[in-house]
Amino acid sequence: MPTSTSHFDYIIAGSGTSGGVAAWYLQQAGARCLLLEAGKYYKPREDFPLPEADYTAQLMWGGGIEYNTRCDLAFIRGRCVGGGSVVNAALMDRFDDVAFDDWKAASGVPFFSESAMEPHYDFAETQIALEEIPDHHRNNNAQLFIKGMENCGHVWKPLRRCQSDCPTDAGQDCIACLGGCHRNSKQSTLATYIPKAEALGLEVRDYAEVTQLEYGKDAVTVHTPRGVFTADKVILAGGAFGSTQVLLRSGFRAKLPALGRNFSMHPQAMNLAVFDEPVDSHKGVLQGAKSLDPGFRKRGFKLENVFAPPIAIAVLFGRVGLPLQDFMRKYRNLACIEVAVRDENTGVIDVDKNGRLHIEKKMTDQDRRRMRDGLGAVKAMLESVGAKQVIQCKMAFGLHLMGGCVMGTDRKTSVVNPNFEVHDHPRLCIADSSIFPNAPGINPALTIMALSHRMATTQAAQ
Amino acid sequence: MASRLLNENAVKTLNRFGDILFPRNGEYPSFSELGCAEHVDDIAAHAPAEDIALLGSFMATLRFAPGFVLRGIVWATQNADRFPEPIGTNLRLLDMGIRSLTVTLYYSGKKGAHYTGPTPLNVIDFHLTIVRD
C-alpha cells in the first residue's frame, strides 16, 4: 500500500449531503479521509455572495443552470463545499413504503423498507436540528396554499426543515439562504458534519473536481486540478451527474452496462398567481406547507408552496420585453405553488469526448399526464383563494437529480451492489442520489443522509 | 468598464439585445441605459468558458446587423417550439444564452458607473432582510 502523504484510507469526492455524512462518520471511526469538492470553500457567515446574480453564478454548476440536450429541461445543482445542502430549501422527509416498495421491486435490494432504514434515518435526524414550520411563521404565500388546499378538500402538512435558531421573528427572509445561509441556521453539511469531521482531522480540498479515477489492485488514484491523490477506497458523492460523470470519464462504461441509465429528476413547474394585494412571498419563511394528499401520491405528483428571487422568476416566466417588465412589476403580488412530478427514470447521463455532460431526458406521456393533473389541482386551488391570473412557467426544472449509478443485485441493470460498492470494484463506493433505482416522489435529502450512514457503517465495520 | 471575457463588439450587441428584451418602460430604464452590461464578467466568469466564447463570437458577428435581424432572432428564440429539430433545440439554447444573461444582469441590482436612476429591483420594490448576529 502506498504511504505517501497524499495517500488516504478514504477519498470522498463530493461534499454535499452524501459526502459530508460519509466524511464525518468514517473520520470519527478512525479512518484518514480526504474530502474533495469542485467548488469553493465558503466560510459560513463571511463569504457567501448575497445578490442573487452572484450566488447563482458562483454556487451552481454551469454558472447557474444546466440543460438537457433539447434545452427544454433545466437542472440546478450546488457547486461549493456543502454542495446541494448549501443551496437547497432544507426540506427533510422520510420516504414511505410506496417509494421503498418500488425501489425494492426494481433493484432486488432487501433493505429498501421503512423499517430497515429506520435506524439510519434516526441517526441522520440526530445530527441536524429539525423544525416543523409553525403556523405563526408561515408567510402569506403559505397561508394561501393552505387555504387553497382546504378549499379544494386536499390534505396538507407543515414542512419540516433542517434549521436552527433561524431569526424569523426578527424578520429574516430565508429566501436569501438559497445562496447559502449567512448564520449557519441552515443545517447544511458545511454547518454540521464537515466542521465536526475537520475537528477530527478530515482534510478538505476545494476547487478539486475529480477529472479521472484509476482503479488499481491496491489503491485508487484520483486526479484533480489540485493534485493527484490515492486511497484504499474512494466514495463518489457527486450526485447523479457528478458521480456518473467521473465513472464515464474514467472508462467504466464498458464494464458497467447500466452506467448513466435510469436518470430521473422530479420535474418541477412553478405556477404563479397574481393577486390584487401584495402577498410578499419572498418575505419570511420561504416554504411552509406541502401536500400530503393520498390522491396526489397515487396520481404521481406533489405540491409545495414555494417562491423564488426576481431573476429566477423572470427567467422562468419565459417572455421578454414589455410583458416581462409589466409582469415583474407585480412581483410583490405573486403567490406561487410548485408541482413536482414523480417521473419515469428514462433519462440517460452521458459525456462527450471532452468529458462534458450530455443529458438525454424527455418528459414521457405519463410524466406529462401527471404534470397536467398537478397543474389542474393548483389552478383550482389558486382560483379558490381569489387569484386574478394563474401563470404556468414554461420551463420545468429539476433540483432532485437521481440515478445514473443505480443500486441493484443484477450487474446488467445496476451499477452499485447492496453493499454500496460498484460491481466488481469494491474499492469504489457510492451512496448519493445516483444510486436511486427510480424517482421516489419525495424530497430526497434525508434519505441520502440515511443511505450514506448505512454505507459508512458498513465500511467502518470492515 | 471593459469586459475581459467579451470583446467590445460582443458587449455592444449584448446591449442591443438587452434593449429589445428590456426597453425603457415607465420607471424602468432600458438595459443599456442601466449600464448593467459593465458587470457581465461577474456572471460570465462562472459559466463554462467554451459556452461564453461561443456566445461572445455570436454576439460579435452581429455587431453591425440591422435591428430587424436582432428582433427576428429574439422572435425566433421565443418561438423555438414552432421550429423543427434540431433548429428548435439550437434556438432554445440561444434563448437561454441571451435571455439568462440579460435577465440576470438587468435584475441583478447592478448598474453602470454613470447611471443614477432606480434599478429594476427598486422598480419592483424588492428588498430582503438579513438578520445578522
Side-chain angles (χ1 to χ4, degrees):
Chain A
M1 182 190 299
T3 54
S4 73
T5 53
S6 62
H7 184 84
F8 295 84
D9 296 325
Y10 289 91
I11 291 174
I12 298 121
S15 63
T17 306
S18 176
V21 173
W24 178 75
Y25 194 89
L26 291 168
Q27 190 73 41
Q28 63 90 36
R32 183 174 178 232
C33 299
L34 171 66
L35 183 63
L36 300 175
E37 165 58 46
K40 180 178 173 179
Y41 196 161
Y42 289 88
K43 298 294 180 187
R45 305 186 193 199
E46 295 168 10
D47 291 350
F48 281 128
L50 196 52
E52 181 193 5
D54 291 340
Y55 73 65
T56 302
Q58 294 176 34
L59 270 60
M60 315 291 182
W61 282 90
I65 204 160
E66 298 170 298
Y67 301 98
N68 62 344
T69 49
R70 283 176 50 84
C71 207
D72 57 3
L73 292 169
F75 312 113
I76 299 167
R77 56 186 180 124
R79 187 178 197 250
C80 57
V81 172
S85 71
V86 167
V87 298
N88 68 10
L91 305 178
M92 292 288 152
D93 295 317
R94 291 188 180 203
F95 285 5
D96 57 16
D97 267 336
V98 173
F100 279 131
D101 287 349
D102 284 352
W103 277 19
K104 196 185 287 185
S107 67
V109 175
F111 66 77
F112 284 148
S113 70
E114 283 188 83
S115 55
M117 287 298 294
E118 187 169 5
H120 306 293
Y121 279 127
D122 288 346
F123 172 85
E125 288 172 344
T126 59
Q127 302 301 312
I128 50 175
L130 291 162
E131 294 177 7
E132 204 165 76
I133 305 303
D135 183 49
H136 66 282
H137 281 168
R138 288 184 206 123
N139 68 6
N140 292 336
N141 191 32
Q143 301 291 359
L144 285 168
F145 175 87
I146 291 165
K147 198 171 168 195
M149 290 289 283
E150 291 175 348
N151 287 350
C152 295
H154 304 314
V155 183
W156 65 276
K157 192 175 188 298
L159 279 165
R160 187 172 68 153
R161 300 186 81 226
C162 57
Q163 62 180 34
S164 170
D165 188 29
C166 191
T168 310
D169 290 325
Q172 171 83 0
D173 296 326
C174 75
I175 199 168
C177 300
L178 294 176
C181 178
H182 289 72
R183 312 173 40 87
N184 276 359
S185 293
K186 187 195 280 188
Q187 301 285 283
S188 66
T189 56
L190 179 63
T192 55
Y193 290 96
I194 292 172
K196 284 195 295 185
E198 281 189 294
L200 296 173
L202 173 71
E203 294 183 42
V204 181
R205 299 275 196 288
D206 63 355
Y207 296 119
E209 179 182 5
V210 176
T211 52
Q212 198 167 14
L213 294 176
E214 290 172 54
Y215 191 88
K217 186 165 159 275
D218 299 320
V220 184
T221 304
V222 177
H223 296 259
T224 82
R226 295 282 305 273
V228 178
F229 308 96
T230 60
D232 291 355
K233 291 198 170 187
V234 168
I235 294 167
L236 296 178
F241 287 1
S243 295
T244 307
Q245 184 180 28
V246 167
L247 290 178
L248 286 167
R249 278 175 173 171
S250 305
F252 282 78
R253 187 199 308 270
K255 304 167 199 163
L256 301 166
L259 182 60
R261 306 275 166 187
N262 305 105
F263 169 61
S264 57
M265 58 176 276
H266 291 163
Q268 298 173 46
M270 304 267 275
N271 296 269
L272 299 161
V274 183
F275 286 81
D276 285 337
E277 300 297 321
V279 179
D280 285 334
S281 298
H282 61 296
K283 306 301 283 182
V285 175
L286 174 64
Q287 292 189 270
K290 65 176 181 178
S291 63
L292 196 69
D293 197 288
F296 291 174
R297 183 82 175 119
K298 205 169 178 180
R299 290 157 70 192
F301 65 87
K302 70 182 177 76
L303 310 179
E304 286 171 9
N305 90 275
V306 73
F307 202 58
I311 293 169
I313 292 289
V315 170
L316 287 168
F317 180 64
R319 298 181 66 189
V320 297
L322 301 180
L324 172 58
Q325 289 173 313
D326 293 342
F327 169 75
M328 289 300 287
R329 273 202 185 91
K330 301 169 192 161
Y331 182 83
R332 290 190 55 204
N333 290 36
L334 296 175
C336 182
I337 297 175
E338 165 200 284
V339 178
V341 167
R342 189 180 185 204
D343 58 325
E344 295 186 283
N345 58 347
T346 55
V348 176
I349 301 167
D350 204 349
V351 294
D352 65 15
K353 63 181 180 357
N354 298 316
R356 283 192 72 175
L357 283 167
H358 272 233
I359 310 299
E360 292 284 349
K361 172 70 179 171
K362 277 188 197 176
M363 298 274 280
T364 65
D365 289 344
Q366 177 177 284
D367 299 342
R368 277 193 285 271
R369 189 169 62 249
R370 289 177 169 189
M371 183 64 85
R372 273 198 304 274
D373 284 356
L375 296 173
V378 169
K379 190 162 188 289
M381 287 167 57
L382 289 169
E383 287 175 350
S384 81
V385 291
K388 297 301 172 199
Q389 187 186 1
V390 178
I391 301 153
Q392 186 209 332
C393 294
K394 278 170 71 177
M395 179 171 273
F397 60 93
L399 306 170
H400 306 158
L401 310 178
M402 302 165 285
C405 302
V406 300
M407 178 178 277
T409 51
D410 183 347
R411 67 194 61 219
K412 288 182 188 143
T413 57
S414 63
V415 172
V416 171
N417 68 27
N419 284 329
F420 298 90
E421 296 164 348
V422 173
H423 289 303
D424 302 324
H425 298 81
R427 294 184 184 279
L428 285 179
C429 298
I430 314 179
D432 61 24
S433 63
S434 70
I435 70 168
F436 284 19
N438 49 50
I442 298 172
N443 291 315
L446 187 64
T447 301
I448 298 169
M449 285 185 177
L451 288 169
S452 301
H453 175 254
R454 185 178 177 102
M455 180 271 294
T457 54
T458 307
Q459 287 298 311
Q462 290 175 7
Chain B
M1 192 188 306
S3 168
R4 290 175 291 106
L5 302 171
L6 299 182
N7 66 29
E8 191 181 347
N9 285 339
V11 173
K12 283 183 174 164
T13 305
L14 175 64
N15 273 310
R16 293 179 71 204
F17 271 122
D19 284 349
I20 296 170
L21 271 59
F22 298 100
R24 187 180 176 86
N25 175 10
E27 285 181 282
Y28 278 119
S30 71
F31 185 90
S32 60
E33 189 183 2
L34 178 62
C36 53
E38 290 179 20
H39 301 276
V40 66
D41 286 2
D42 294 353
I43 311 305
H46 302 281
E50 53 267 53
D51 294 354
I52 293 302
L54 198 62
L55 188 64
S57 299
F58 175 77
M59 296 269 194
T61 58
L62 292 171
R63 167 68 183 92
F64 298 106
F68 73 83
V69 172
L70 268 56
R71 285 193 295 278
I73 290 170
V74 170
W75 180 88
T77 59
Q78 284 278 291
N79 292 278
D81 292 343
R82 297 186 188 189
F83 290 81
E85 294 301 333
I87 299 170
T89 290
N90 284 304
L91 287 171
R92 279 189 291 273
L93 198 58
L94 191 55
D95 173 53
M96 291 317 298
I98 297 171
R99 197 160 54 84
S100 294
L101 191 55
T102 52
V103 167
T104 300
L105 287 166
Y106 192 70
Y107 286 107
S108 66
K110 298 171 193 270
K111 56 188 180 183
H114 303 295
Y115 179 73
T116 56
T119 69
L121 289 185
N122 299 142
V123 175
I124 67 172
D125 197 17
F126 176 78
H127 302 282
L128 287 185
T129 303
I130 309 293
V131 180
R132 307 281 178 183
D133 289 334

